[in-house]
Amino acid sequence: AGFIKSPLSQKRLTQDSVELYCEAIGNPIPEIQWWFEGSEPNETYAQLWDGARQDRVKINATYNLHSTSTIYIANLTSDDSGMYECRASNDPDRNHLSKSPKVKWIRSQANVFVIERPDIRTQVNGVSDKLILSCNMTEPYPGITGHEWMHGDKTLQTDEESSVFTSYTIEGKMEEHSGVYECVYKTNPMMKAQVNISVAPQVIAYKKSEHGNEGDTGVLTCKNPSFPPVSSWSWYKNGQEVSAPIVNGSGRYIIKSSGNKTELRILKLNIEEDTGDYRCNASNSYGFGGATVNLRVRSRLAALWPFLGIVAEVLILVTIIFIYEKRRKPDEVLD
């Protein structure tokens, strides 16, 4: 037996992708092939191979106890609309050019409709400490049953209107609400567009003040919670020229930067050389931003001073008691 576990009819938008799954059971284990028939009247079935259609077709098959195969088509176009057929057979002559197989190919089909993606124009307007995000289809589109506004996995707003226009209002400034937002049209298939609120890096220090002991490794960290991500990070020590940033791997400095986070490590801290303010600067396509971190380096003996102070207090107290006991008169001795 052979069957497709995916829905028998699927609608997709151009530039989307589609995946079909087929499974076959038999003894010996059957081979699975994928075939396609376009929607044009004169088109006939043609076999699909891994890497077909300019490498947009990916076919993965496993043959272990039974046969499974998945076909994945990326970046769909209108020419990808049609009937996809999964064929399975375990006849030894199934691929013979002249002999007819005794056992016919078992077939299962799924129809894929690729719909032209409508143009959705997005916009962000700032009006008196408010941000208005909007999406608008350039042409009428049937079958809209509502809209949703998303920020990551969080649903911000939902409605059941059929309009091609939808908007979402945010209270505050762009720097406070940067990120990727999505307007979702409830259609079949679902349509959505991204609305980006982009700002220069809003850099903040993980801690405004860091402490380290002499001889240990100091770690200073900055991060950027805003969008878009930082394209380049740099570190400076206050008092140095901006044209002379700290170079990764130079001296005792190690810099690790990844996306929206940067870390400066200073090996074998020195009280005289390393104490002071450090500045982390970030840049992206919208501008620059930075933050300052103060580093305080303590002597290794600093941790002993409180302990030595307690010991000194105990010694002084014991000394006073001892002197008092020595000088006390005999008649003051208790019976």
Side-chain angles (χ1 to χ4, degrees), residues 126-131 170-173:
V127 181
S128 61
D129 287 339
K130 290 184 180 180
L131 297 173
I170 301 174
E171 300 281 347
K173 299 178 180 179

Side-chain angles (χ1 to χ4, degrees), residues 29 32 60-64 66-69:
I29 296 174
I32 293 179
N60 293 314
T62 58
Y63 298 96
N64 184 15
H66 63 281
S67 307
T68 60
S69 182

Side-chain angles (χ1 to χ4, degrees), residues 31 43 57 61 166 169 253:
E31 176 193 2
E43 284 197 57
V57 174
T166 178
T169 301
Y253 298 115

Side-chain angles (χ1 to χ4, degrees), residues 10-316:
Q10 296 195 36
K11 291 182 180 180
R12 291 289 188 272
L13 295 172
T14 52
Q15 303 171 21
D16 281 350
S17 61
V18 67
E19 186 175 68
L20 302 174
Y21 177 78
C22 184
E23 191 172 305
I25 302 171
N27 188 19
I29 296 174
E31 176 193 2
I32 293 179
Q33 295 180 359
W34 288 95
W35 292 69
F36 171 75
E37 182 184 45
S39 54
E40 295 296 327
N42 296 329
E43 284 197 57
T44 58
Y45 275 101
Q47 188 173 356
L48 291 172
W49 305 91
D50 185 52
R53 299 178 185 174
Q54 298 179 337
D55 208 32
R56 293 189 297 110
V57 174
K58 300 293 181 185
I59 298 176
N60 293 314
T62 58
Y63 298 96
N64 184 15
L65 300 179
H66 63 281
S67 307
T68 60
S69 182
T70 301
I71 185 170
Y72 174 85
I73 306 167
N75 198 19
L76 291 169
T77 69
S78 56
D79 293 336
D80 295 320
S81 293
M83 187 68 70
Y84 290 81
E85 189 171 88
C86 163
R87 298 181 182 181
S89 176
N90 58 5
D91 192 293
D93 299 326
R94 59 186 179 273
N95 293 318
H96 202 283
L97 297 178
S98 58
K99 292 182 180 181
S100 298
K102 297 176 183 178
V103 179
K104 293 183 178 180
W105 289 86
I106 299 172
R107 309 179 184 201
S108 187
Q109 297 176 331
N111 207 354
V112 176
F113 301 92
V114 182
I115 303 168
E116 194 69 31
R117 179 182 293 274
D119 183 25
I120 302 176
R121 294 182 179 176
T122 63
Q123 196 170 7
V124 178
N125 292 321
V127 181
S128 61
D129 287 339
K130 290 184 180 180
L131 297 173
I132 302 174
L133 285 58
S134 62
C135 290
N136 188 25
M137 286 189 186
T138 56
E139 297 179 3
Y141 191 88
I144 300 174
T145 59
H147 313 89
E148 282 186 351
W149 279 91
M150 307 286 295
H151 187 207
D153 296 330
K154 184 180 180 181
T155 301
L156 304 174
Q157 177 179 293
T158 183
D159 64 56
E160 297 180 357
E161 299 178 3
S162 59
S163 171
V164 295
F165 177 83
T166 178
S167 65
Y168 175 70
T169 301
I170 301 174
E171 300 281 347
K173 299 178 180 179
M174 295 184 68
E175 291 77 12
E176 301 169 351
H177 299 282
S178 66
V180 178
Y181 296 78
E182 283 186 330
C183 59
V184 180
Y185 288 82
K186 297 178 183 178
T187 55
N188 184 22
M190 181 184 68
M191 290 180 290
K192 57 185 178 181
Q194 285 188 355
V195 184
N196 296 337
I197 299 180
S198 304
V199 298
Q202 307 297 300
V203 180
I204 57 176
Y206 184 70
K207 289 183 180 179
K208 293 184 178 181
S209 180
E210 290 282 0
H211 299 80
N213 293 324
E214 188 177 21
D216 289 346
T217 299
V219 181
L220 311 180
T221 306
C222 290
K223 56 184 179 179
N224 170 52
S226 59
F227 178 86
V230 172
S231 55
S232 66
W233 286 98
S234 57
W235 282 90
Y236 303 87
K237 190 173 189 300
N238 280 12
Q240 297 177 348
E241 295 295 330
V242 176
S243 59
I246 296 174
V247 179
N248 184 25
S250 64
R252 295 177 287 112
Y253 298 115
I254 298 175
I255 299 174
K256 293 183 179 180
S257 300
S258 58
N260 280 334
K261 182 180 177 181
T262 183
E263 183 181 270
L264 172 64
R265 289 178 176 266
I266 307 174
L267 307 178
K268 297 180 180 179
L269 288 173
N270 183 287
I271 293 178
E272 296 180 358
E273 296 180 13
D274 300 325
T275 300
D277 291 333
Y278 292 79
R279 184 164 182 83
C280 54
N281 284 354
S283 65
N284 61 19
S285 55
Y286 288 83
F288 303 87
T292 300
V293 186
N294 178 261
L295 175 62
R296 299 178 181 177
V297 182
R298 298 171 297 197
S299 170
R300 277 197 171 277
L301 298 176
L304 294 176
W305 292 126
F307 174 74
L308 293 176
I310 295 173
V311 172
E313 289 179 0
V314 172
L315 290 175
I316 293 171

